[in-house]
Amino acid sequence: MHIGIDSFVSAVTDPGTGRTVSPEDRVAHLLEEVQRADEVGLDSFGIGEHHRSEYYDSAPSVLLAAAAARTSRIRLNSAVTVLSADDPVRVFQEFATLDLVSRGRMDLVVGRGSFTEAFPLFGLSLRDYDELFAEKLDLLLRIRESRSVTWSGKHRPPLTGQGVYPRPLQDPLPVWVGVGGTPESFIRAGILGLPLMVAIIGGEPHRFRPLVDAYREAGRRAGHDPAQLRVGLHCFGFVGDTTQQAKDDFYPGWSEIFTKIARERGGSAPTRAAYEATTGPTGAYFIGDAEAVATKMLAVSDALGGVDRIALQMTNVRLAHDDLLHGIELLGTAVAPIVRERAVRAVSPN
């Protein structure tokens, strides 16, 4: 199983001083996090895209380029690129360039995003939420297939054979579809034969099994090789020296984030009881010591019929930078070896 980290590069309040880390220091911390993940043998590091005041990742391709220059082996990816609000030509050009910079270590994960600020910011209507994504994904895949493209759609001027350059080192450039809980999104990814990155931010992961099965069945019916119908998970996670310490360290920032979202969306404020349930054995969060996190990764993979990668969203608005670096180190040096050893043991005839 491929194990990685995703970051939303949120503003962080240092729990020791009570001060908000400056934007320039927060970006410097991000690059330290990516470098540490590379050093400890993790498989990937993803950077999100948001257009809100509390995040510093509105230009993820710039951050990914800086990360590529600081690393040598780890794969890098978007988490996710909000394709609905962007131009597929520019997205392809940016990630093809990133693929050259990283010498073939780039994955492009596209989705519609969990926030909607990008739509009015770029003059788009939320009424076209799904139509924009479907049309732009179609164009992106056409560009990936051919350097000269003839295409027309509703939301962008047509292409009449123009070339799109540069071309990436990887051929084709890996494109994943990031999804939430909409069945149509799972089925669309299956029909297209694209790998799937499922964001599970609450509840119980095993409840996604019917959606994952629908994705695989749609891909099978469309004639795609089952080997290309890969499934990844994006979930909250953090690794500590003990499970209690990990949960206690992660909780204040988690509570702050979801309290703000609840106010914005008119939902109920989060509680410690809900947090404890979601960090429990069947919950969506991978928070605990190395043994607990590794055990849950394997259990969730089994419950979903096998997953190819799990990326933990470890960014936390009230977590000290040194604690996050320590969590990254534990994920790479303690969790990943347990998962890999047990996975090999499970398929070994002896």
Side-chain angles (χ1 to χ4, degrees), residues 9-134:
V9 202
S10 58
V12 173
T13 299
D14 187 292
T17 65
R19 296 179 180 176
T20 300
V21 177
S22 67
E24 63 271 26
D25 285 342
R26 179 67 188 94
V27 170
H29 288 173
L30 169 73
L31 297 179
E32 288 181 44
E33 293 159 18
V34 182
Q35 188 169 353
R36 181 66 57 86
D38 188 42
E39 292 167 350
V40 301
L42 287 169
D43 297 298
S44 69
F45 199 105
I47 297 176
E49 178 186 345
H50 299 84
H51 301 272
R52 297 166 61 94
S53 61
E54 66 267 35
Y55 297 101
Y56 304 128
D57 60 356
S58 64
S61 60
V62 178
L63 297 173
L64 286 167
R70 295 275 291 263
T71 57
S72 60
R73 49 154 301 280
I74 194 169
R75 293 196 67 80
L76 302 167
N77 60 272
S78 53
V80 301
T81 294
V82 185
L83 185 63
S84 306
D86 213 332
D87 180 357
V89 173
R90 289 300 289 156
V91 169
F92 185 87
Q93 289 175 327
E94 289 172 359
F95 276 83
T97 303
L98 283 168
D99 200 49
L100 299 177
V101 171
S102 67
R103 295 186 176 271
R105 293 186 285 127
M106 195 62 54
D107 291 324
L108 173 57
V109 185
V110 298
R112 294 176 294 189
S114 58
F115 294 102
T116 59
E117 286 80 8
F119 290 82
L121 181 64
F122 296 113
L124 302 168
S125 172
L126 282 171
R127 292 192 304 271
D128 302 322
Y129 184 76
D130 189 65
E131 188 177 76
L132 281 165
F133 181 74

Side-chain angles (χ1 to χ4, degrees), residues 1 298 338-348:
M1 185 191 298
L298 292 164
I338 294 172
V339 171
R340 291 164 186 156
E341 179 186 350
R342 292 181 185 171
V344 169
R345 193 188 310 160
V347 299
S348 173

